[in-house]
Every structure is written in C-alpha cells, then in structure tokens.
Amino acid sequence: MNMVYALKLRAVGRSKNKNLALSGIIGTMFIKSKDMSEEMYSAMECRGFTGEYKIYKKFKFKIADYICIISFFIKD
C-alpha cells in the first residue's frame, strides 16, 4: 500500500492513466510475495515440518505440571 500511495503522490496532475504504473506495482508485489513464501517453505522444511500436525489426544497432567502451576501462583 505504501507503494501505491507513493505513486499517487508522485503522479499528481501528470497522467490520467495510472494503470500501467499500478500493474508494475502489482507485479512487483506478486514476485516479492512468491519469493517470501518460498523462503518460508524452505525454513519450515529445514526445521522438519512435513505438513502434518500432531494432535495429542491423551494429555494427562503429571506431577511436574502441578508443581509448575503451584509455583506460578505462589510467585505472584
């Protein structure tokens, strides 16, 4: 959006047809977002993400959990 505002400010009174410049901005934004998404995918892949989420259905509180909760309330 900052690029669009900058385009509007620089082109005041010059050209009625700003579609060409706007299409350039949209193209640049598409390429940048594509590159950023590829970097994000690579980073997640390096950290071992396979696309599957683990769901822990049988979570049970253990003694360490109770100690942590009690110490949290005592600290305040």
Side-chain angles (χ1 to χ4, degrees):
M1 290 306 295
N2 289 338
M3 292 174 72
V4 174
Y5 293 140
L7 174 67
K8 285 182 181 180
L9 291 174
R10 280 186 273 144
V12 172
R14 288 189 186 173
S15 174
K16 302 271 186 215
N17 190 3
K18 295 181 179 82
N19 293 336
L20 183 64
L22 188 60
S23 65
I25 290 173
I26 291 172
T28 303
M29 287 174 46
F30 174 75
I31 292 170
K32 188 172 183 177
S33 65
K34 181 182 169 290
D35 290 341
M36 289 175 67
S37 66
E38 287 176 353
E39 288 177 14
M40 178 68 76
Y41 176 77
S42 297
M44 291 178 73
E45 192 175 37
C46 287
R47 289 173 175 83
F49 183 71
T50 60
E52 297 178 11
Y53 295 97
K54 294 181 183 178
I55 300 173
Y56 299 103
K57 293 182 181 179
K58 297 182 180 180
F59 178 77
K60 294 182 181 179
F61 277 101
K62 297 180 181 172
I63 190 72
D65 297 321
Y66 290 114
I67 292 171
C68 183
I69 291 170
I70 291 170
S71 68
F72 176 76
F73 285 113
I74 290 175
K75 186 170 62 170
D76 287 337

